């Protein structure tokens, strides 16, 4: 029996075949079972005992052989699985393309971080504005010639609804909502009927700044802008205030930084002046304080508004504002 089994087992390659063979020998209707069934036909007690013992020994021996074969089959199966799942770790991996932060977002975050570091918080306002917030409350009523300074996309015939032309309406919204003193910046998208060219886009981004407290003067404005400029563009940068005009500030300034390309000596970027304009600013006009019920005799403040694309163009040396909106992956990847 054992010899036959061993021969049969050599042929067995799979677990299922093994199970079939095992039940043929050891199963309920198997060989051992039928040998055991013969016991009842043996009358001689000693012979019966001997027979039983022999069959049991045979059973044990068969079980050992089957166990051994099962282990072999399992080991073979494990080896095959391992072979199938083998990974060549020396093959170079496929580089996965990952996204990059948009440069406008990156620049906005850089500006935000600098001002947050100086105690400012972030305020937001809607892109669809009422004319009152965008103009009237900012000392620019309907008849004011300064309305022409920013050509507006109106959303209604009565010119009540418009796409905000600057982030300055957030000043008004913030002051109406909170009591002074306060220090906020407000980044966001703005719209103007400007022709698209290398430095102008009809949709662009600004960051507004507003600081209100007692005894605020132009020197505070200059100090904050100087710290900003040095942190953003580099330690050596200095700031120049040139008199200018905005209806919502008095006095008003265009703010320049010393040219970061030639160190202020004069080059083509700064048109040999040594200075580059980065933003508009000034001390909050008393009429603006009046529109939001702040007493201008008690409170003073400074405000500024800078173009995010413009400062990003300077910092990252981008010659044309249109690069920001083309979605050319090569542009994004070089940054
Ligand atoms: C203003 O919009 C004022 N609200 C700024 C201000 C705020 C002054 C608070 C005083 C107090 P201006 O129109 O100069 O100012 O625009 C501010 C900045 O936006 C500019 O310096 C420039 O960097 C950017 N800018 C203006 N027009 C465009 C445009 N079409 N495309 C891209 N950037 C622009």
């Amino acid at each position: 029996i054992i010899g036959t089994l061993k021969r049969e087992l050599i042929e067995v390659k799979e677990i299922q075949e093994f199970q079939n063979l095992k039940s043929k020998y050891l199963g309920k209707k198997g060989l051992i079972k039928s040998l055991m069934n013969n016991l009842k036909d043996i009358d001689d007690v000693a012979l019966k005992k001997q027979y039983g013992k022999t069959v049991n020994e045979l059973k044990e021996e068969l079980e050992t052989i089957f166990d051994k074969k099962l282990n072999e089959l399992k080991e073979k199966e494990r080896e095959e699985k391992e072979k199938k799942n083998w990974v060549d770790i020396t093959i170079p991996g496929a580089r996965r393309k990952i996204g990059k932060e948009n440069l406008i977002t990156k620049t906005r975050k850089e500006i935000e971080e600098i001002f947050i570091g100086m105690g400012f918080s972030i305020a937001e306002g809607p892109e669809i504005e009422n004319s009152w917030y965008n103009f009237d409350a900012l000392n620019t009523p309907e008849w004011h010639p300064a309305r022409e300074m920013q050509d507006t996309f109106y959303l209604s015939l009565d010119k009540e609804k418009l796409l905000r032309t600057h982030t300055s309406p957030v000043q008004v919204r913030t002051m109406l909502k909170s009591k002074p003193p306060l220090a906020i910046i407000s980044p966001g998208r703005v719209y103007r009927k400007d022709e698209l060219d290398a430095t102008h886009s009809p949709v662009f981004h600004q960051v507004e700044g507003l600081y209100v407290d007692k005894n605020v003067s132009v020197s505070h404005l200059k100090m904050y802008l100087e710290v900003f400029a040095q942190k953003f563009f580099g330690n050596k940068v200095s700031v120049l205030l040139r008199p200018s005009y905005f209806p919502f500030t008095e006095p008003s300034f265009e703010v320049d930084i010393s040219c970061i390309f030639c160190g202020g000596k004069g080059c083509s970027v700064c048109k040999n002046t040594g200075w580059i304009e980065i933003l508009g600013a000034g001390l909050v006009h008393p009429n603006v304080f009046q529109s939001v019920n702040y007493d201008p005799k008690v409170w003073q403040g400074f405000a500024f508004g800078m173009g995010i694309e413009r400062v990003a163009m300077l910092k990252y040396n981008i010659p044309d504002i249109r690069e920001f909106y083309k979605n050319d992956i090569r542009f994004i990847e070089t940054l």
Side-chain angles (χ1 to χ4, degrees):
I1 289 172
I2 289 173
T4 315
L5 170 62
K6 279 186 174 168
R7 248 177 283 120
E8 279 178 321
L9 268 180
I10 290 171
E11 302 298 317
V12 170
K13 298 270 181 300
E14 280 170 13
I15 301 271
Q16 189 55 52
E17 263 178 276
F18 170 86
Q19 297 294 10
N20 294 343
L21 193 63
K22 191 174 171 183
S23 61
K24 186 174 132 193
Y25 283 87
L26 294 167
K28 274 185 194 148
K29 290 179 183 155
L31 178 71
I32 293 295
K33 201 75 184 174
S34 69
L35 289 177
M36 281 299 191
N37 283 343
N38 294 338
L39 266 179
K40 63 179 187 308
D41 302 327
I42 303 172
D43 294 328
D44 184 299
V45 176
L47 194 63
K48 198 172 194 161
K49 208 172 161 190
Q50 181 60 39
Y51 182 82
K53 193 170 166 244
T54 310
V55 176
N56 262 329
E57 277 168 6
L58 177 66
K59 184 179 166 221
E60 273 166 30
E61 205 164 336
L62 291 180
E63 274 169 349
T64 314
I65 292 169
F66 275 114
D67 284 351
K68 196 170 152 237
K69 180 70 183 181
L70 184 64
N71 282 338
E72 278 170 25
L73 282 177
K74 279 188 176 162
E75 177 64 14
K76 212 173 112 214
E77 199 179 41
R78 197 186 59 78
E79 273 172 12
E80 270 167 14
K81 211 167 164 187
E82 215 167 66
K83 228 185 224 170
K84 220 167 94 190
N85 294 340
W86 184 74
V87 174
D88 183 354
I89 55 163
T90 63
I91 291 175
R95 205 173 274 274
R96 212 182 287 180
K97 284 215 170 200
I98 51 167
K100 245 189 157 178
E101 196 166 45
N102 181 287
L103 188 58
I104 298 173
T105 311
K106 179 178 150 91
T107 309
R108 171 176 60 75
K109 285 186 184 165
E110 285 170 5
I111 299 169
E112 283 175 1
E113 242 168 64
I114 296 171
F115 280 101
I116 286 170
M118 294 194 281
F120 285 67
S121 47
I122 294 176
E124 283 186 342
E127 289 173 27
I128 295 176
E129 256 306 1
N130 297 322
S131 150
W132 189 79
Y133 291 99
N134 196 79
F135 292 125
D136 304 63
L138 290 163
N139 196 33
T140 326
E142 189 68 60
W143 47 266
H144 203 295
R147 284 226 184 183
E148 308 303 316
M149 285 167 70
Q150 298 168 1
D151 222 348
T152 311
F153 289 109
Y154 286 101
L155 299 175
S156 61
L157 284 177
D158 61 6
K159 296 191 168 178
E160 273 309 305
K161 286 250 176 291
L162 49 82
L163 293 175
R164 66 179 178 186
T165 56
H166 52 178
T167 40
S168 298
V170 186
Q171 284 187 32
V172 180
R173 288 182 175 275
T174 308
M175 287 193 280
L176 281 173
K177 264 195 296 212
S178 32
K179 287 193 168 37
L182 53 90
I184 56 117
I185 55 163
S186 180
R189 202 176 286 140
V190 300
Y191 305 81
R192 290 184 193 177
K193 281 189 185 168
D194 283 347
E195 284 294 334
L196 186 63
D197 64 20
T199 52
H200 292 84
S201 164
V203 185
F204 63 102
H205 298 77
Q206 287 188 337
V207 177
E208 190 78 8
L210 173 70
Y211 184 101
V212 181
D213 204 344
K214 290 176 179 160
N215 302 317
V216 176
S217 69
V218 174
S219 57
H220 294 96
L221 167 66
K222 191 173 182 205
M223 186 275 286
Y224 276 101
L225 290 180
E226 209 158 62
V227 173
F228 162 73
Q230 289 176 354
K231 283 193 187 285
F232 186 78
F233 291 108
N235 284 338
K236 296 203 175 75
V237 165
S238 44
V239 162
L240 174 76
L241 304 190
R242 281 184 292 110
S244 182
Y245 174 77
F246 295 102
F248 30 90
T249 45
E250 181 58 40
S252 302
F253 306 97
E254 298 283 0
V255 179
D256 294 352
I257 52 162
S258 53
C259 182
I260 49 176
F261 300 99
C262 61
K265 288 191 200 78
C267 65
S268 62
V269 179
C270 60
K271 300 192 181 85
N272 280 322
T273 61
W275 297 96
I276 301 174
E277 186 192 317
I278 59 160
L279 56 91
L283 295 190
V284 180
H285 196 292
N287 289 354
V288 176
F289 278 146
Q290 247 143 19
S291 331
V292 297
N293 304 317
Y294 281 15
D295 185 349
K297 289 196 190 72
V298 179
W299 302 103
Q300 295 82 45
F302 66 75
F304 60 84
M306 80 176 101
I308 298 185
E309 287 85 343
R310 294 278 182 88
V311 291
M313 285 165 81
L314 287 173
K315 182 167 177 175
Y316 297 102
N317 207 357
I318 295 152
D320 196 313
I321 199 168
R322 287 168 285 205
E323 292 292 348
F324 288 105
Y325 318 113
K326 275 199 233 157
N327 276 339
D328 186 333
I329 194 79
R330 288 165 300 180
F331 166 70
I332 297 165
E333 276 174 353
T334 55
L335 298 170

